[in-house]
């Protein structure tokens, strides 16, 4: 009798149990490849500077807002803090000029409200060294803020890091008038923030503005959180607009969260990098009998990147893969509002001289103004096969765009070039677009699924 009652009770409870299980699974936050997003991505606990050691306030050590360049004194203060076991460099109210600074293990940067750490506009104040730039490891100028090989580095506060980039920008555009082929590196410019070979990095609250070159660049890093930042570069006149002032460059990274940020720059807002060149994927493929070019050393993949709850002003690309990117997987751009017209919502730059694989990319819950809803096209700037006889093939696979409501010039700007790249498994769902060019050619993509597409 007890067995019968128990069985009947189990039969009554089982449907409810299954329903709860289904609901729990449906609520799980998943990466595009179906793996679960770790709890780390949902923890946005602010930096607590009271737990980071002794505070080293600039004005307490004779460093004042006096218009002088204080690189030597500020670097000595960082070194002093590191030698004492770590601490926080505090920038109080005022404008403090400096050249390139190198943070050490255990040291942190805190900028008070009204405080400005401003970069020198003389490139000689930024030491040369081995670094990573434009898809290669080479000798180049350091950034204003540099951190290499650190665990737990933080930048926080309500103040500003200002690259003082106007003179660099003017010089760049002047150079372009007489040498159209000059590269970004030819006109010598420092980045604003460069973090390399680091883990457990958190940058929050501050304004990053007027960079001379890329605004923030993260290379070979793991577990990076960029929270509530305002990233801005100079505007429209040809003599002042900031060339290549990417807001965030992610270069061989794993586990990155960009949340509650504002980005308006004269290039890409978030660019996924990782290497370029005909043998850029040598780190993951064996090329027998081929001498791998030196610039391929240091290339790598990007994985597990979430950009969410951000607002965009003008930019070239809201999410751009390339122009130097080898393998990028599990990237989410979601809950984004574009308040000024951006050029491209999703931009896949396909280099004919570089083997690339962009896979499992999701763009969802987007509102605002863009020129191109999606742009996929060859990117041939500084094209160079370096003697390779065949063109390396590239692939974009499992690209999802859903729940988007945007105004744009062109809905589906996708170029077909099968001899260079192959597109497969795209999925568009619940998209409302007002577009001048409503062309839609799903036949370009192998395995294109779509539903509820409303192009007005």
């Amino acid at each position: 009798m007890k067995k019968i009652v128990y069985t009947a009770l189990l039969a009554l409870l089982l449907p409810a149990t299954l329903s709860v299980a289904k609901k729990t699974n449906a609520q799980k936050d998943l990466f595009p490849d179906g793996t679960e997003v770790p709890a780390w991505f949902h923890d946005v606990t602010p930096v607590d500077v009271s737990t980071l050691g002794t505070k080293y306030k600039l004005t307490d050590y004779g460093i004042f807002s006096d218009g002088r360049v204080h690189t030597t004194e500020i670097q000595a203060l960082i070194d002093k803090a590191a030698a004492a076991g770590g601490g926080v460099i505090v920038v109080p109210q005022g404008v403090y000029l400096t050249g390139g600074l190198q943070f050490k293990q255990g040291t942190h940067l805190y900028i008070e409200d009204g405080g400005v750490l401003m970069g020198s506009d003389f490139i000689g104040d930024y030491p040369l060294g081995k670094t990573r730039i434009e898809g290669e490891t080479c000798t180049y100028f350091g950034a204003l803020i540099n951190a290499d090989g650190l665990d737990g580095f933080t930048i926080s506060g309500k103040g500003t890091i200002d690259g003082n980039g106007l003179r660099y920008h003017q010089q760049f555009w002047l150079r372009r008038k007489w040498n159209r082929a000059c590269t970004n590196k030819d006109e010598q410019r420092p980045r604003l923030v460069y973090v390399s070979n680091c883990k457990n990095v958190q940058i929050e609250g501050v304004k990053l503005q007027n960079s001379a070159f890329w605004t923030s660049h993260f290379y070979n890093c793991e577990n990076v959180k960029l929270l509530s930042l305002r990233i801005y570069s100079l505007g429209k006149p040809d003599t002042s607009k900031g060339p290549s002032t990417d807001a965030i460059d992610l270069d061989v990274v794993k586990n990155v969260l960009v949340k509650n940020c504002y980005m308006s720059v004269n290039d890409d807002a978030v660019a996924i990098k990782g290497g370029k060149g005909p043998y850029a994927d040598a780190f993951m493929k064996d090329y027998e009998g081929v001498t791998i070019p030196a610039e391929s050393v240091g290339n790598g993949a990007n994985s597990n990147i979430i950009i969410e709850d951000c607002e965009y002003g003008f930019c070239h690309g809201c999410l751009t893969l390339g122009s130097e990117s080898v393998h990028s997987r599990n990237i989410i751009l979601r809950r984004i509002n574009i308040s000024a017209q951006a050029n491209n919502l999703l931009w896949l730059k396909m280099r004919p001289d570089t083997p690339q694989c962009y896979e499992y990319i999701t763009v969802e819950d987007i509102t605002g103004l863009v020129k191109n809803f999606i742009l996929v096209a060859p990117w041939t700037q500084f094209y160079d096969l370096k003697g390779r006889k065949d063109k390396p093939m590239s692939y974009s696979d499992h690209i999802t765009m859903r729940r988007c409501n945007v105004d744009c010039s062109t809905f589906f700007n996708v170029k077909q070039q099968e001899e260079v790249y192959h597109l497969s498994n795209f999925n568009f769902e619940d998209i409302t677009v007002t577009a001048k060019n409503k062309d839609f050619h799903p036949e370009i993509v192998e395995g294109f699924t779509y539903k509820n597409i409303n192009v007005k």
Side-chain angles (χ1 to χ4, degrees):
M1 182 64 179
K2 288 182 180 179
K3 185 175 181 180
I4 294 172
V5 171
Y6 176 79
T7 303
L9 182 61
L10 184 61
L12 288 171
L13 291 175
L14 191 56
T17 305
L18 288 173
S19 176
V20 170
K22 276 186 177 181
K23 186 175 180 181
T24 302
N25 287 334
Q27 289 176 340
K28 282 184 178 179
D29 196 9
L30 303 177
F31 279 116
D33 70 355
T35 56
E36 188 169 358
V37 174
W40 177 89
F41 283 88
H42 303 129
D43 180 4
V44 290
T45 304
V47 172
D48 184 355
V49 293
S50 68
T51 66
L52 299 178
T54 303
K55 296 181 179 62
Y56 295 84
K57 193 172 184 177
L58 297 188
T59 48
D60 291 343
Y61 293 87
I63 302 169
F64 300 108
S65 175
D66 53 13
R68 295 171 53 233
V69 178
H70 290 284
T71 314
T72 301
E73 298 97 316
I74 299 175
Q75 186 61 57
L77 197 58
I78 294 170
D79 296 344
K80 177 183 177 72
V88 185
I89 306 302
V90 177
V91 179
Q93 287 188 355
V95 179
Y96 302 84
L97 274 169
T98 180
L101 301 172
Q102 188 74 49
F103 280 78
K104 309 289 182 64
Q105 181 59 44
T107 60
H108 307 266
L109 178 61
Y110 180 81
I111 307 176
E112 293 182 351
D113 193 5
V116 179
L117 193 63
M118 179 170 284
S120 162
D121 62 4
F122 172 52
I123 192 61
D125 288 327
Y126 299 86
L128 285 165
K130 186 178 180 181
T131 188
R132 177 79 175 183
I133 195 77
E134 291 205 318
E136 62 180 2
T137 301
C138 61
T139 298
Y140 194 67
F141 299 93
L144 177 60
I145 304 297
N146 301 272
D148 182 66
L150 309 187
D151 186 354
F153 176 63
T154 70
I155 300 174
S156 61
K158 294 183 178 180
T160 302
I161 303 175
D162 191 309
N164 197 16
L166 178 59
R167 179 176 292 182
Y168 295 105
H169 303 159
Q170 291 172 330
Q171 291 173 170
F172 178 90
W173 294 119
L174 282 171
R175 188 181 188 119
R176 272 285 168 94
K177 285 183 178 180
W178 63 267
N179 179 13
R180 292 293 301 170
C182 80
T183 68
N184 279 318
K185 291 193 299 182
D186 290 338
E187 186 53 54
Q188 301 162 347
R189 298 180 288 158
R191 290 154 289 177
L192 195 67
V193 176
Y194 177 57
V195 179
S196 56
N197 306 304
C198 292
K199 57 184 179 181
N200 302 315
V201 174
Q202 186 156 320
I203 302 178
E204 68 174 49
V206 296
K207 304 175 190 69
L208 305 177
Q209 65 186 40
N210 298 335
S211 180
F213 194 10
W214 295 351
T215 303
S216 66
H217 181 195
F218 301 86
Y219 170 66
N220 195 32
C221 291
E222 184 172 350
N223 296 348
V224 176
K225 291 180 180 177
L226 308 176
L227 309 176
S228 302
L229 302 175
R230 187 182 189 277
I231 303 176
Y232 171 80
S233 71
L234 292 168
K236 293 183 178 180
D238 286 344
T239 56
S240 67
K241 65 181 181 181
S244 299
T245 47
D246 301 3
I248 299 169
D249 286 311
L250 302 177
D251 188 355
V252 191
V253 297
K254 180 180 181 181
N255 296 340
V256 175
L257 174 66
V258 180
K259 188 176 180 70
N260 293 328
C261 295
Y262 174 80
M263 292 173 270
S264 182
V265 293
N266 190 44
D267 210 323
D268 297 320
V270 180
I272 313 299
K273 299 185 177 291
K276 67 179 179 181
Y279 302 103
D281 59 347
F283 66 93
M284 57 191 292
K285 185 175 180 180
D286 183 21
Y287 287 100
E288 293 185 10
V290 174
T291 301
I292 304 301
E295 61 265 26
S296 293
V297 175
N299 292 346
N302 300 281
S303 63
N304 298 359
I305 298 166
I306 298 178
I307 307 111
E308 63 183 13
D309 304 314
C310 295
E311 182 178 353
Y312 286 67
F314 173 77
C315 62
H316 291 185
C318 297
L319 174 60
T320 301
L321 282 79
S323 55
E324 56 267 3
S325 183
V326 187
H327 184 206
S328 296
R329 178 187 179 95
N330 270 348
I331 301 172
I332 300 173
L333 178 73
R334 62 187 178 189
R335 301 192 298 272
I336 303 297
N337 180 56
I338 306 161
S339 55
Q341 189 179 60
N343 284 349
N344 306 291
L345 175 52
L346 177 61
W347 189 1
L348 306 181
K349 292 181 175 180
M350 313 303 296
R351 289 192 70 99
D353 62 358
T354 299
Q356 301 160 314
C357 179
Y358 307 151
E359 59 178 352
Y360 295 100
I361 315 297
T362 295
V363 176
E364 60 188 7
D365 301 308
I366 310 295
T367 58
L369 305 169
V370 294
K371 286 186 178 179
N372 292 298
F373 183 74
I374 180 172
L375 173 60
V376 184
W379 182 262
T380 57
Q381 186 180 46
F382 309 121
Y383 172 81
D384 188 357
L385 276 172
K386 299 184 183 298
R388 181 168 174 168
K389 302 303 181 186
D390 63 315
K391 288 184 179 180
M393 275 294 293
S394 295
Y395 304 88
S396 290
D397 183 63
H398 286 96
I399 309 298
T400 296
M401 303 183 77
R402 60 192 176 202
R403 299 192 301 275
C404 299
N405 190 337
V406 301
D407 288 348
C408 62
S409 298
T410 302
F411 170 51
F412 192 71
N413 194 347
V414 178
K415 308 291 192 258
Q416 187 173 21
Q417 197 164 341
E418 283 290 338
E419 71 277 14
V420 176
Y421 54 84
H422 182 70
L423 310 176
S424 58
N425 298 311
F426 281 31
N427 177 40
F428 282 13
E429 296 180 30
D430 301 324
I431 292 172
T432 299
V433 167
T434 300
K436 293 179 182 177
N437 184 341
K438 301 186 292 183
D439 289 350
F440 182 38
H441 298 283
E443 69 278 3
I444 291 174
V445 179
E446 178 188 359
F448 201 138
T449 60
Y450 52 94
K451 64 179 181 180
N452 298 334
I453 308 299
N454 182 13
V455 183
K456 301 178 184 178

